[in-house]
Amino acid sequence: MEHSTGEEKLRVSLIGLGSMGTAMAHRLLDQGFDLDIWNRSPKEIGDLLDKGARKVELKQALQNDFVVSMLSNDAAALDVFSDENLANAKPGVVHLNMSTLSTDASRELASRHARHNVGYVASPVLGRPMAITNGKLLIVAAGDPHAIEKAKIVFEKVSAQHWNVGSDHTKSILVKLGVNYNLIHALQAIGESVALVESGGVDPNTFIEIITHTAFTGSAYTGYGPMIVNRNYTPPGFSVALGLKDVKLVEDAAAELNLKLPVASVLHQLFETALHDPELKDLDWSAIAELTRQRKL
């Protein structure tokens, strides 16, 4: 352990340095944690090293009291947290998995961690990178109550609020998927409404000002509304590809629960279309609004 002003600091590992992971790395450092970082592929991390982060190998990253992961999909998470790698982890370490994964992957990861006496908390996050750095991130946690209680020292430093939704690891995943599914509806609703009024000659900025004044004051509308109106889709905070991934995860979770979501197939097709459009595929996921505005449907 390193020391600062005579007090022992908690050293945390962060695995996964995409846009969300990088923002989380900065937040952890800003909140006074000592930080070890590991990424699956080479990445420029000079700014993090300058702030005091330490680049380590995966085996070393699994030796701290807490490991935070923010990986892009099931395959990446299952590869990194394999039985072989977990066998080398420090006994009693708690893994805070902040990625959005499938319910199946979360179950498999929970089983693997249990086999190797490694704590596991499925703790997907709600918010974009800016929410992390601004301290406005929300966390939904599920898993062993003792592990969640232990993790409060991290959760309370990096988020505005966190919720414990139970010991079943899939419950937090379902909450995250439900939130994202609602948000995807909002993106498409904004896009369709903007296309409607814009086609009729109404200033879309005025329209967004009107609907966000009282009726829709949440961050989805106040944040994404101006982005859609002004076609401010780059750099992407959340990609079209990840949007499609989330819709697929929602569909899979619904099927597992024998639940029919009538609009899911429509939203799936929208993201598929955007992902195959060379003008839209690399933009923020809110760019699905352009399919309606540009009459590409």
Side-chain angles (χ1 to χ4, degrees):
M1 292 279 191
E2 293 184 3
H3 294 74
S4 175
T5 64
E7 293 186 2
E8 192 172 351
K9 295 173 69 176
L10 183 65
R11 182 169 286 279
V12 176
S13 297
L14 178 72
I15 293 176
L17 291 170
S19 59
M20 293 290 284
T22 298
M24 181 57 71
H26 282 286
R27 180 68 179 172
L28 286 164
L29 288 166
D30 291 342
Q31 290 299 302
F33 292 101
D34 283 334
L35 183 67
D36 288 343
I37 52 178
W38 183 81
N39 197 51
R40 299 176 75 221
S41 58
K43 185 178 178 66
E44 175 54 51
I45 55 172
D47 56 340
L48 291 172
L49 298 179
D50 289 343
K51 289 178 71 170
R54 185 173 68 176
K55 184 180 179 181
V56 299
E57 295 301 320
L58 177 58
K59 185 174 182 179
Q60 187 176 357
L62 296 176
Q63 301 307 307
N64 292 325
D65 290 335
F66 293 100
V67 175
V68 175
S69 69
M70 302 194 89
L71 296 163
S72 59
N73 53 41
D74 286 3
L78 292 169
D79 178 59
V80 172
F81 295 97
S82 63
D83 278 300
E84 180 182 1
N85 290 333
L86 288 170
N88 294 316
K90 173 184 176 181
V93 61
V94 177
H95 172 201
L96 310 177
N97 190 341
M98 297 188 178
S99 311
T100 303
L101 305 178
S102 69
T103 53
D104 282 345
S106 192
R107 287 192 194 94
E108 173 61 23
L109 287 168
S111 295
R112 291 181 186 179
H113 284 68
R115 284 197 292 270
H116 299 284
N117 192 31
V118 176
Y120 179 69
V121 181
S123 44
V125 299
L126 310 177
R128 293 161 69 95
M130 186 64 72
I132 297 177
T133 54
N134 288 346
K136 296 181 179 179
L137 188 74
L138 306 178
I139 296 175
V140 184
D144 178 75
H146 299 292
I148 295 176
E149 182 66 25
K150 187 177 179 181
K152 280 185 178 181
I153 192 172
V154 177
F155 290 159
E156 290 176 355
K157 290 286 189 179
V158 302
S159 70
Q161 189 167 343
H162 72 277
W163 290 266
N164 178 353
V165 295
S167 59
D168 181 346
H169 295 87
T170 65
K171 289 184 181 295
S172 60
I173 301 297
L174 288 173
V175 171
K176 173 59 188 288
L177 293 177
V179 169
N180 277 17
Y181 189 55
N182 197 285
L183 182 52
I184 289 168
H185 279 75
L187 297 179
Q188 183 59 18
I190 294 168
E192 292 186 21
S193 298
V194 166
L196 177 67
V197 301
E198 196 174 50
S199 296
V202 176
D203 178 2
N205 281 291
T206 299
F207 172 72
I208 291 298
E209 182 181 342
I210 292 168
I211 66 169
T212 58
H213 185 274
T214 303
F216 300 97
T217 58
S219 59
Y221 279 78
T222 59
Y224 283 110
M227 286 176 62
I228 291 171
V229 165
N230 298 297
R231 294 183 165 90
N232 185 21
Y233 302 126
T234 189
F238 198 79
S239 69
V240 171
L242 289 176
L244 178 59
K245 182 201 84 167
D246 280 0
V247 173
K248 289 179 177 178
L249 290 177
V250 167
E251 290 177 311
D252 290 344
E256 184 179 325
L257 296 167
N258 196 28
L259 181 66
K260 176 68 175 177
L261 302 178
V263 187
S265 60
V266 176
L267 295 170
H268 184 145
Q269 185 57 50
L270 285 168
F271 277 102
E272 286 273 16
T273 302
L275 196 58
H276 288 91
D277 188 317
E279 295 181 354
L280 303 178
K281 65 183 182 66
D282 297 320
L283 300 179
D284 189 87
W285 67 335
S286 54
I288 61 166
E290 292 302 304
L291 295 172
T292 303
R293 293 176 81 189
Q294 297 179 27
R295 295 168 171 79
K296 291 187 173 183
L297 297 174

